[in-house]
């Protein structure tokens, strides 16, 4: 008896003949997978294609404009709720929601600038992290009104608002 | 805004909200009697928060004590009201400062809760807990 052992095959799975004692079964299946796993279940042999670890797919999430705005609003709300009672600039800027806003990239710059206009808050670090720019005069550090003014002026000059 | 949801001791100790929400200044600024800047030792990069120049600017209890020593404060041992003195207290979670409060002439304390409201509370214990930790240092200076 030719026992079927568990094997991993690469490329095309070819026709195989398997003997179980007096019974013979032939596997008539030819398919191409990256890898396939052959498992012995009692007297049945089954070929189950599996996605091999080497072929894990990474896909880049492409946000539509509406998605970005929706995601941004949700993250702003999450950030505000979580950090409202904190006085720590570090804690505010390192909060996961704040970091994720930075991760949304340049498309979120107009939204941040509009947020500064309508509901001023400490978005300056996010704007710096996304754009690399810093229009704030060091002597205005900590002055929300002046820092907002500097960034709004920058946003208008660069066509974001 | 219900501060007692985050600070359950406030209900027992008593408090009142004394200002609307304001992101322009934080508790450190309020303790230093400033309402126009956000005070915090800066993270690396462009300074978007204010910290007195020439002083230690890491997030340590010593940094905060230095900043207030520059304003004329010195360490003291108790939180009782003393005529002719102003007192502030620094809260910390372990070695990390979290909050500051300032004593009023009535003997109660005033706090700016992050970027939200100001509150007046009877005791320092009112804000102790999971959010701000415990009182680490009390400082005092002669009233101007």
């Amino acid at each position: 008896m030719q026992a079927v052992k568990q094997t991993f095959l690469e490329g095309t799975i070819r026709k195989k003949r398997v003997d179980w004692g007096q019974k013979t079964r032939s596997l008539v299946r030819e398919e191409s997978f990256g890898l396939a796993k052959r498992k012995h279940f009692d007297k049945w042999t089954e070929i189950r294609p599996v996605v091999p670890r080497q072929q894990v797919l990474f896909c880049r999430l492409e946000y539509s404009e509406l998605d970005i705005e929706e995601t941004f609003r949700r993250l702003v709300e999450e950030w505000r709720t979580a950090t409202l009672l904190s006085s720590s600039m570090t804690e505010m800027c390192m909060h996961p929601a704040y970091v994720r806003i930075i991760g949304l990239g340049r498309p979120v710059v107009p939204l941040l600038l509009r947020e500064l206009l309508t509901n001023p808050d400490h978005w300056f670090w996010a704007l710096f992290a996304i754009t690399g720019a810093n229009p704030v005069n060091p002597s205005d550090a900590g002055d929300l009104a002046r820092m907002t003014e500097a960034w709004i002026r920058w946003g208008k000059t660069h066509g974001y608002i | 805004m219900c501060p007692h949801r985050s600070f359950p001791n406030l209900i027992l100790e008593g408090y009142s909200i004394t200002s609307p929400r304001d992101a322009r200044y934080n508790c450190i600024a309020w303790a230093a009697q400033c309402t126009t800047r956000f005070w915090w030792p800066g993270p690396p990069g462009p300074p978007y928060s204010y910290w007195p120049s020439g002083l230690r600017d890491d997030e340590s209890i010593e940094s905060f004590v230095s900043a207030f020593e520059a304003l004329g404060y010195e360490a003291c041992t108790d939180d009782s009201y003393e005529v002719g003195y102003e007192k502030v207290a620094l809260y910390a979670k372990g070695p990390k400062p979290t909050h500051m409060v300032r004593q009023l002439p009535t003997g109660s304390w005033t706090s700016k809760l992050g970027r939200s409201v100001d509150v007046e509370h009877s005791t320092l214990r009112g804000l102790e807990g999971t959010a701000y930790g415990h009182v680490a240092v009390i400082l005092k200076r002669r009233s101007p």
Side-chain angles (χ1 to χ4, degrees):
Chain A
M1 172 178 155
Q2 186 183 350
V4 176
K5 293 178 184 175
Q6 235 178 23
T7 55
F8 288 90
L9 305 174
E10 270 189 39
T12 307
I13 297 164
R14 306 251 166 99
K15 188 170 158 183
K16 288 266 178 178
R17 182 177 286 274
V18 179
D19 296 316
W20 295 281
Q22 292 170 1
K23 230 172 190 179
T24 300
R25 291 196 179 267
S26 55
L27 308 169
V28 190
R29 193 170 178 187
E30 277 190 10
E31 289 175 72
S32 287
F33 300 99
L35 282 177
K37 181 178 170 182
R38 176 181 278 177
K39 199 169 177 183
H40 183 208
F41 294 105
D42 284 337
K43 294 182 181 178
W44 295 94
T45 298
E46 212 167 326
I47 296 178
R48 288 171 183 264
V50 296
V51 176
R53 285 179 191 176
Q54 295 93 311
Q55 291 187 7
V56 172
L57 299 172
F58 291 92
C59 51
R60 186 173 163 205
L61 294 174
E62 301 280 352
Y63 284 103
S64 68
E65 239 176 75
L66 195 58
D67 286 340
I68 286 180
E69 182 146 4
E70 218 173 280
T71 304
F72 174 75
R73 294 268 151 248
R74 185 173 45 80
L75 290 170
V76 165
E77 199 46 50
E78 186 184 325
W79 175 76
R80 242 184 212 124
T81 305
T83 64
L84 189 62
L85 300 178
S86 173
S87 284
S88 166
M89 187 60 80
T90 309
E91 207 172 287
M92 284 157 51
C93 297
M94 292 294 119
H95 188 273
Y98 198 93
V99 174
R100 286 187 62 197
I101 287 171
I102 294 172
L104 292 174
R106 286 202 175 247
V108 93
V109 170
L111 298 173
L112 282 168
L113 293 170
R114 259 180 262 145
E115 191 66 23
L116 279 180
L117 278 171
T118 56
N119 198 355
D121 213 325
H122 296 267
W123 295 114
F124 315 109
W125 183 265
L127 285 164
F128 161 71
I130 294 169
T131 66
N134 179 30
V136 174
N137 194 317
S139 62
D140 292 336
D143 188 326
L144 186 66
R146 291 200 174 183
M147 294 192 291
T148 299
E149 202 182 299
W151 273 105
I152 296 300
R153 204 167 37 238
W154 178 91
K156 286 179 178 169
T157 306
H158 290 80
Y160 284 101
I161 47 172
Chain B
M1 172 79 206
C2 294
H4 60 261
R5 282 188 186 161
S6 303
F7 307 100
N9 288 346
L10 281 181
I11 297 179
L12 301 168
E13 305 289 327
Y15 80 101
S16 58
I17 295 174
T18 52
S19 85
R21 204 185 271 201
D22 195 335
R24 290 176 301 160
Y25 62 101
N26 61 348
C27 62
I28 314 300
W30 186 234
Q33 301 186 48
C34 171
T35 56
T36 56
R37 287 186 194 256
F38 200 94
W39 286 43
W40 196 261
Y48 291 128
S49 55
Y50 171 79
W51 197 248
S53 61
L55 297 178
R56 186 171 165 177
D57 65 354
D58 54 275
E59 289 184 26
S60 64
I61 291 172
E62 292 74 24
S63 287
F64 285 69
V65 169
S66 298
F68 277 77
E69 282 176 345
L71 297 174
Y73 286 89
E74 55 186 21
C76 68
T77 51
D78 73 282
D79 61 352
S80 60
Y81 178 69
E82 291 179 51
V83 175
Y85 285 89
E86 294 175 338
K87 288 189 179 179
V88 294
L90 173 68
Y91 290 69
K93 277 163 101 169
K96 229 174 144 192
T98 52
H99 185 66
M100 284 192 82
V101 300
R102 172 164 49 89
Q103 195 170 44
L104 295 169
T106 55
S108 56
W109 299 83
T110 181
S111 280
K112 176 71 161 59
L113 301 181
R115 299 181 332 278
S116 70
V117 299
D118 294 344
V119 293
E120 188 176 318
H121 47 106
S122 314
T123 65
L124 292 177
R125 201 178 158 271
L127 291 181
E128 286 188 331
T130 51
Y132 290 157
H134 296 276
V135 173
V137 177
I138 302 172
L139 302 159
K140 72 176 183 185
R141 72 176 178 185
R142 283 204 173 274
S143 304

